[in-house]
Amino acid sequence: MQNVHIGTQCVQGGYTPGNGEPRQIPIVQSTTFKYDTSEDMAKLFDLEASGYFYTRLQNPTNDYVAAKIAALEGGTAGMLTSSGQAANFFALFNIVNAGDHIVASSTIYGGTFNLIAVTMRKMGIEATFVPPTCTDEELDAAFRPNTKAVFGETIANPALTVLDIEQFARAAHAHGVPLIVDNTFATPVNCRPIEWGADIVTHSTTKYMDGHGVAVGGAIVDGGRFDWMAHADKFPGLTTPDESYHGITYAEKFGMGGAFITKCTSQLMRDFGSIQSPQHAFYLNLGLESLHVRMKRHCDNGQAVAEFLAKHPAVSQVHYCGLASDPYHARAEKYLPNGSCGVVSFELKGGREAASAFMKGLRIAAIETHVADARTCCLNPATSTHRQMTDEQLAAAGVPAGLIRISCGLEDSEDLIADIAQALERINEE
C-alpha cells in the first residue's frame, strides 16, 4: 500500500486478503507447521525459502501485524516481541556484544535505564548516559572506540523530554553506529523517527498501539538505511558468517533492508524465545486500526489537562511539551507538529505527601502501573516504575520523588479536569 495516508495504513496495512480469504487478520494459533518433505523444511532452516516452522521464531499473524507497524514507521522490516522491554533488549543486543559500549539519553524510561545500566552491564556491556539537552560537543565526548549504538526515546517516560533526533542521529552516524529510538509515546501517527535520521525504531505496543490494556507486547522496525557493510569491523554479527545458522552473512544475503530483523529473528528470538502470542498480535491489530483517531483525542485531553494544571496554585511545575512555557516546546513543534501524547507529568508544591493525598482523591483516574490507555490512569513513578533508581538517578532522569504522571484517556476532558480539581482540593484536607 504505497502513497496512502497513515490513517489508511492503520486500518488496512500489513494484510491484504485474497479472493474468499478472511477479511480480518486470521489468528494462526498453532505452535508448529506441517511440510510434505524434509527437503521443504530444510530450505526454511537454511533461510533459502520463506515460511514458518515454529511459532517461537515466526508466526503469520505476528508477521502481518509487524508488517503494518513497519509500514506506519516507514521502515523496511519489522518483528513483534513479547514486550517493549524485550524489543529494546533485542534491538540493542542484536548489535552490541560483551566488551562494547552504548550511548543513551539519561531521561529514558526507568525500566530501560535499568536494563542498560545494570543488567547489560552484567553482560559486559557498558553505557554512558547523556542529558537530552546536551551540546554537540558533550554528546560527541560520550562516544568511545567500542561504542556500537545510540539509544533514546522520542518522548521520554515519564520525564516527557523530547529527543533531538537529528542531533543524536548526526552524532551516531559520525561515529559509524546506528541510532535506536523508542517511539512508544509519540507513535508513528505523531512522529516517524526514521524520517529524521533514526535507523531502528522500537515500541512497547502495550501502550497506545494496543490502547486498551489487553495485550503486552513490543515491536522493532528497521529503517533499512544503515549500511552495515560500510562498518563491517564494528558489526561482525551482521557482516561475517553466522556459524550457528549455516554460515549465513546476514548483511550480504538480506541487504540493508532485511539483515537486522532477519538476524534478530534467527538468532535472538531463536535463543531467547520472547515471542508475542498470535492472540495478542490480533488484539494489537484491533488497536492499530483506530490509532490515528485515538491519538488526536489523547493529545487534545493531554493539552487541556496540562493547561489547567499550569494555572493551579497547588502545582509547582508541569511537564508537557504542548505548553508554550515548556523547555521542549520548540523541539516539539519541529518533531511533533500534530501533537505529542496524552501523558502529562507535574509536581505538587507539597512534594511526596501532597502527591499521595492527590492520588487518594481521584475518582475517574485510576492508580495503575500503566500508561497510554483508553482509560485515564495515574501514578507516582518514584514509588513504582522507577523505584529501582536512586534519588540522584531520579533527579538526572527528570523524575523527582514527588512527580505525578497522569495519562489522559479518551474520556471527556471536562470530566477529567473536574476530577483533578476535586483531588487537588483534598491535599489541604489530609
Side-chain angles (χ1 to χ4, degrees):
M1 296 180 66
Q2 300 295 322
N3 303 318
V4 297
H5 292 85
I6 198 161
T8 304
Q9 290 280 19
C10 283
V11 177
Q12 297 203 19
Y15 171 70
T16 302
N19 187 44
E21 293 183 344
R23 185 63 190 90
Q24 180 56 278
I25 287 177
I27 304 171
V28 182
Q29 195 64 46
S30 179
T31 60
T32 53
F33 301 82
K34 174 187 175 296
Y35 287 90
D36 291 336
T37 68
S38 294
E39 289 74 19
D40 290 334
M41 184 169 284
K43 292 177 182 178
L44 300 178
F45 277 93
D46 289 342
L47 301 180
E48 295 293 340
S50 60
Y52 304 92
F53 51 86
Y54 197 52
T55 285
R56 190 181 80 227
L57 276 82
Q58 285 180 290
N59 178 281
T61 307
N62 292 24
D63 282 358
Y64 290 138
V65 181
K68 175 180 284 191
I69 295 173
L72 291 173
E73 286 288 4
T76 56
M79 64 185 291
L80 299 186
T81 61
S82 58
S83 67
Q85 193 78 321
N88 285 333
F89 174 63
F90 277 20
L92 287 165
F93 199 60
N94 202 35
I95 52 176
V96 180
N97 300 311
D100 289 341
H101 175 255
I102 297 166
V103 173
S105 171
S106 62
T107 59
I108 56 177
Y109 167 62
T112 310
F113 182 96
N114 194 72
L115 168 68
I116 296 172
V118 179
T119 302
M120 295 187 77
R121 184 180 180 85
K122 294 177 181 177
M123 303 167 74
I125 298 165
E126 295 188 341
T128 299
F129 294 90
V130 296
T133 54
C134 64
T135 65
D136 290 342
E137 293 73 21
E138 289 169 335
L139 181 54
D140 185 71
F143 285 82
R144 303 176 186 174
N146 61 336
T147 300
K148 298 297 177 67
V150 180
F151 182 90
E153 294 175 354
T154 308
I155 305 171
N157 174 18
L160 300 184
T161 57
V162 179
L163 188 73
D164 190 338
I165 301 172
E166 285 191 319
Q167 177 195 23
F168 275 66
R170 282 195 307 270
H173 297 159
H175 290 270
V177 302
L179 171 62
I180 303 171
V181 174
D182 184 329
N183 197 35
T184 295
F185 268 17
T187 81
V189 171
N190 286 338
C191 182
R192 305 214 303 177
I194 292 168
E195 294 179 348
W196 296 101
D199 301 289
I200 297 149
V201 173
T202 62
H203 284 275
S204 170
T205 62
T206 317
K207 310 304 189 298
Y208 284 123
M209 284 189 165
D210 166 8
H212 300 85
V214 296
V216 175
I220 307 172
V221 174
D222 182 12
R225 298 179 180 179
F226 192 84
D227 190 345
W228 304 105
M229 292 304 296
H231 308 283
D233 59 324
K234 287 181 176 289
F235 306 103
L238 283 158
T239 61
T240 61
D242 177 7
E243 298 306 329
S244 75
Y245 226 104
H246 319 295
I248 285 174
T249 300
Y250 296 101
E252 289 181 351
K253 186 172 182 63
F254 300 101
M256 290 165 58
F260 184 88
I261 293 296
T262 303
K263 176 181 179 296
C264 202
T265 301
S266 301
Q267 281 187 357
L268 302 188
M269 194 61 80
R270 174 196 65 192
D271 294 343
F272 289 98
S274 300
I275 193 71
Q276 187 170 148
S277 76
Q279 188 74 47
H280 278 196
F282 178 83
Y283 294 145
L284 168 58
N285 186 62
L286 294 179
L288 288 170
E289 289 179 352
S290 64
L291 181 64
H292 59 300
V293 179
R294 290 185 290 105
M295 283 307 295
K296 184 179 187 309
R297 180 60 172 257
H298 283 297
C299 291
D300 288 347
N301 282 354
Q303 185 71 30
V305 166
E307 290 176 0
F308 168 78
L309 289 168
K311 298 174 182 177
H312 200 283
V315 177
S316 62
Q317 190 170 7
V318 179
H319 304 276
Y320 190 74
C321 62
L323 296 176
S325 59
D326 190 88
Y328 293 92
H329 182 68
R331 195 175 286 178
E333 286 190 315
K334 174 181 177 178
Y335 293 113
L336 304 155
N338 298 320
S340 56
C341 63
V343 182
V344 181
S345 292
F346 62 99
E347 300 171 48
L348 295 174
K349 292 179 180 178
R352 189 185 297 265
E353 292 75 17
S356 177
F358 168 78
M359 292 195 294
K360 287 179 182 177
L362 291 170
R363 295 293 176 263
I364 293 177
I367 299 174
E368 300 177 16
T369 309
H370 192 43
V371 71
D373 189 84
R375 293 158 293 273
T376 296
C377 49
C378 182
L379 85 166
N380 173 224
T383 57
S384 54
T385 57
H386 288 60
R387 67 180 297 114
Q388 78 279 5
M389 299 173 71
T390 66
D391 285 348
E392 291 76 16
Q393 289 173 331
L394 285 169
V399 191
L403 186 77
I404 291 172
R405 182 189 71 185
I406 187 164
S407 174
C408 300
L410 302 179
E411 303 92 346
D412 286 321
S413 61
E414 294 86 353
D415 293 331
L416 295 182
I417 291 171
D419 188 37
I420 292 169
Q422 64 85 25
L424 288 170
E425 291 299 319
R426 288 195 47 146
I427 294 175
N428 296 327
E429 300 173 4
E430 288 288 319

